[in-house]
């Protein structure tokens, strides 16, 4: 599903967002295996699972006109503090950018607009794409056409030369020379995982993943143990990309103080759709004692990917949290996990009740 979405954003913790071709929201936050609202019309087709019995909603927001197109979550290092950790959306219908605060809502999020970093009074101004650059600035592509409906486009009634690009930069930001990061050693790439601008961290992760240099594994394991903040998550991702993630690591990181390290441990353990009996016991124990709603959400998503002898005990453990009764995602995510085994493992599902 999703609201006929435009754009895709992955934040510094690995959460996935998109814009929305409608009003009343700034977009969607996506969880693994979710079925999402996709409009009241049937033109998008039925939900692929007839027993979903519900759809996950877009992020809760005050009434607002359509529509937020593409977006970024600003996690650079040169714009003022008021931008950091907030969504910046482009709205081509209203010729502006929107700055939006993101607040936790159980295992999901709700949003609140807090400003308009760019506004135009020119009808042709149509901001349609947005990215954070290596300099920490935010780059906006303005389509610059009076009409943005489909008809003028496929009839060729547009000017291919009128578009423009804008940059938002901090008043005191200084130019930054961007090196060819592929020329850096693996050890130098590790140091970039500490960089305050997400572009550098993400590029370093991609290059480490390309190299799969086993020599960095001991350092990454040490960083995960020594750090309880964001560096531990970057090191965890780098460890996985370097093929250093295994059951021994998972046993430690399932108990890590940083909730997103726990989240991503659970997420990665579900990739092969089977885990060892020992790790299965650790997952059940985690499900019984997890204080973080987002991590419980990922435990529910991963449960659906695992065999019944582990899926169903996870559902049982996660069903015991009173705090999740009114969660925007978790009751439905637990149902989807249970439903996934209701035919293939009917007797075990009945035994659960």
């Amino acid at each position: 599903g999703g609201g006929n979405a435009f754009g895709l954003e992955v934040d510094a913790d690995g959460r996935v967002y998109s814009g929305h071709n409608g009003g009343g929201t700034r977009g969607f936050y996506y969880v693994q295996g979710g079925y999402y609202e996709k409009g009241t019309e049937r033109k998008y087709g039925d939900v692929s699972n007839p027993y979903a019995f519900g759809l996950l909603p877009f992020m809760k927001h005050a009434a607002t006109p359509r529509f937020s197109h593409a977006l970024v979550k600003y996690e650079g290092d040169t714009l003022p503090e008021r931008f950091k950790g907030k969504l910046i959306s482009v709205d081509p219908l209203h010729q502006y950018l929107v700055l939006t605060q993101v607040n936790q809502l159980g295992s999901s999020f709700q949003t609140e607009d807090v400003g308009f970093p760019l506004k135009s009074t020119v009808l042709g101004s149509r901001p349609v794409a947005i990215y954070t650059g290596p300099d920490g600035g935010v780059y906006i592509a303005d389509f610059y056409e009076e009409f943005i409906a489909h008809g003028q486009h496929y009839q060729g009634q547009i000017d291919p030369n009128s578009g423009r690009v804008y940059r938002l930069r901090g008043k005191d930001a200084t130019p930054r020379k961007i090196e060819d990061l592929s020329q850096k050693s693996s050890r130098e790439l590790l140091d970039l995982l500490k960089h305050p601008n997400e572009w550098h961290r993400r590029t370093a992760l991609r290059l480490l993943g390309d190299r799969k240099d086993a020599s960095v594994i001991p350092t990454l394991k040490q960083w995960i143990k020594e750090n309880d903040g964001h560096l531990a998550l970057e090191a965890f991702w780098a460890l996985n990309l370097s093929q250093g993630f295994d059951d021994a690591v998972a046993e430690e990181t399932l108990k890590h103080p940083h909730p997103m390290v726990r989240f991503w441990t659970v997420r990665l353990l579900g990739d092969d759709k089977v885990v060892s009996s020992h790790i299965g016991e650790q997952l059940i124990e985690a499900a019984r004692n997890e204080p973080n709603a987002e991590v419980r959400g990922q435990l529910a998503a991963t449960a659906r990917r695992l065999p019944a002898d582990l899926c169903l005990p996870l559902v049982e453990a996660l069903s015991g949290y009173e705090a999740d009764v009114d969660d925007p995602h978790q009751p439905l995510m637990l149902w989807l996990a249970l439903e996934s085994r209701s035919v293939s493992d009917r007797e075990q599902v009945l035994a659960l009740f």
Side-chain angles (χ1 to χ4, degrees):
N4 190 17
F6 297 97
L8 183 73
E9 172 66 343
V10 183
D11 76 6
D13 288 322
R15 303 181 187 97
V16 178
Y17 306 87
S18 79
H20 178 46
N21 187 24
T25 184
R26 289 298 170 211
F28 285 84
Y29 160 62
Y30 296 94
V31 296
Q32 188 176 34
Y35 295 101
Y36 283 85
E37 293 178 357
K38 52 180 180 175
T40 56
E41 301 172 7
R42 297 298 291 272
K43 67 181 181 180
Y44 301 117
D46 294 322
V47 179
S48 57
N49 180 356
Y51 302 104
F53 293 161
L55 300 172
L56 299 181
F58 45 65
M59 289 187 289
K60 186 177 179 180
H61 191 83
T64 189
R66 68 182 291 257
F67 61 100
S68 300
H69 193 69
L71 51 82
V72 295
K73 189 175 182 186
Y74 186 72
E75 286 157 327
D77 61 333
T78 58
L79 290 186
E81 189 66 30
R82 68 179 183 273
F83 285 88
K84 293 183 179 178
K86 295 182 177 67
L87 298 177
I88 309 175
S89 307
V90 292
D91 184 334
L93 282 180
H94 299 97
Q95 296 91 33
Y96 55 50
L97 305 186
V98 187
L99 186 65
T100 303
Q101 175 74 45
V102 183
N103 301 308
Q104 199 85 36
L105 183 64
S107 64
S108 183
F109 298 91
Q110 60 186 350
T111 53
E112 177 185 2
D113 293 344
V114 294
F116 299 89
L118 181 152
K119 277 188 172 185
S120 175
T121 58
V122 179
L123 182 60
S125 180
R126 305 292 186 183
V128 292
I130 184 167
Y131 297 94
T132 302
D135 60 346
V138 172
Y139 290 79
I140 303 101
D142 182 353
F143 185 61
Y144 207 82
E145 285 289 339
E146 182 175 345
F147 297 103
I148 59 171
H150 302 291
Q152 285 76 18
H153 293 232
Y154 64 70
Q155 295 173 33
Q157 298 174 14
I158 57 172
D159 182 353
N161 300 307
S162 63
R164 56 201 60 194
V165 176
Y166 295 100
R167 178 181 65 178
L168 294 181
R169 73 175 185 91
K171 183 177 180 180
D172 299 322
T174 56
R176 173 184 286 160
K177 181 181 179 181
I178 306 303
E179 302 173 274
D180 181 355
L181 302 190
S182 68
Q183 300 304 308
K184 290 186 175 292
S185 69
S186 295
R187 176 65 219 200
E188 289 173 322
L189 291 177
L190 291 192
D191 289 335
L192 284 175
L193 299 180
K194 303 174 183 178
H195 200 285
N197 187 24
E198 187 191 13
W199 183 92
H200 292 76
R201 302 195 302 270
R202 187 163 293 175
T203 304
L205 282 171
R206 177 175 59 78
L207 292 168
L208 288 166
D210 289 344
R211 295 179 189 184
K212 295 182 170 45
D213 183 352
S215 70
V216 302
I217 289 176
T219 299
L220 292 169
K221 287 182 176 179
Q222 192 64 30
W223 283 7
I224 295 169
K225 287 182 180 179
E226 292 175 351
N227 292 275
D228 58 7
H230 186 73
L231 179 59
L233 180 59
E234 297 284 349
F236 178 77
W237 283 335
L239 182 69
N240 178 59
L241 290 168
S242 302
Q243 299 183 321
F245 179 66
D246 55 23
D247 280 7
V249 171
E251 188 170 1
E252 295 296 321
T253 54
L254 278 172
K255 303 169 186 174
H256 197 276
H258 192 327
M260 294 311 291
V261 172
R262 302 196 300 274
F263 178 105
W264 277 96
T265 301
V266 174
R267 172 75 185 255
L268 295 180
L269 285 172
D271 278 357
D272 293 331
K273 301 186 178 181
V274 62
V275 297
S276 68
S277 58
H278 177 66
I279 290 297
E281 292 170 1
Q282 298 293 310
L283 281 170
I284 295 170
E285 183 66 19
R288 289 178 180 142
N289 299 288
E290 177 52 57
N292 183 278
E294 243 185 301
V295 181
R296 294 198 297 271
Q298 183 56 51
L299 280 159
T302 293
R304 188 177 169 199
R305 301 167 69 84
L306 297 173
D309 59 356
L310 184 50
C311 170
L312 298 178
L314 285 171
V315 169
E316 183 175 29
L318 292 167
S319 297
Y321 288 87
E322 185 176 350
D324 293 341
V325 169
D326 296 318
D327 189 274
H329 285 178
Q330 191 71 339
L332 191 54
M333 292 299 290
L334 288 174
W335 158 249
L336 292 174
L338 182 67
E339 187 274 336
S340 72
R341 298 294 161 222
S342 60
V343 174
S344 60
D345 301 278
R346 175 186 173 89
E347 295 306 317
Q348 286 178 263
V349 170
L350 291 172
L352 178 63
F353 290 94

